[in-house]
Every structure is written in C-alpha cells, then in structure tokens.
C-alpha cells in the first residue's frame, strides 16, 4: 500500500520494537472478527494505535465512518 510496509502478525513484538511502530493497520478486510480480535488482543500489550480496513459488506451497508485525521 503506497509506501507502507506489510508484515505478518506472527512477529508483532519484534516488528513493533524494530520499527518503533506507533500505529498498526489491519488490512485484511476478509479476516474474521475472531482473527482480528486475536491480533488486537496481542497489540494491547503495546502502546500502538490499531486501525483496520472495513470489509466490503461493511462498506455496502454503510457501517463505517471516514474521519479526517
């Protein structure tokens, strides 16, 4: 995605430390809620902001909100 690097969630701890991450984007809209929650639970141990892309069903049903940062 543009200049963003994409990594597996398997090495979260190492990646956060190595790149001094402040934000993590979960960019797999087709991922189940259970899978997303497992990743989010892992990230709770770190002071990073977590965002995720909505799935196509959420977009179609208007269940997401785009906000300016």
């Amino acid at each position: 995605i543009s200049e963003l690097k994409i990594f597996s969630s398997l090495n979260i701890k190492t990646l956060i430390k190595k790149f001094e991450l402040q934000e993590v984007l979960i960019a797999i809209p087709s991922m189940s809620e259970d899978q997303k929650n497992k990743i989010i639970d892992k990230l709770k141990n770190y002071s990073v902001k977590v965002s995720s892309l909505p799935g196509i069903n959420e977009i179609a049903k208007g269940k997401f909100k785009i906000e300016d940062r």
Side-chain angles (χ1 to χ4, degrees):
I1 304 175
S2 189
E3 294 181 23
L4 298 177
K5 295 184 180 192
I6 300 171
F7 297 97
S8 167
S9 65
L10 299 176
N11 301 319
I12 289 175
K13 180 180 180 179
T14 303
L15 294 169
I16 289 173
K17 289 182 180 183
K18 180 178 179 178
F19 295 106
E20 298 178 358
L21 299 179
Q22 297 176 15
E23 184 170 4
V24 173
L25 174 63
I26 300 172
I28 308 173
S30 61
M31 181 183 288
S32 73
E33 285 299 313
D34 186 50
Q35 290 171 312
K36 278 186 192 178
N37 288 334
K38 286 179 183 178
I39 293 172
I40 291 168
D41 283 343
K42 287 182 184 179
L43 293 169
K44 287 180 181 177
N45 296 319
Y46 308 96
S47 55
V48 293
K49 178 180 177 182
V50 180
S51 302
S52 65
L53 296 177
I56 192 71
N57 289 334
E58 292 170 303
I59 293 169
K61 294 178 183 177
K63 292 184 175 182
F64 72 101
K65 182 178 178 182
I66 298 174
E67 298 176 352
D68 293 333
R69 290 187 181 206

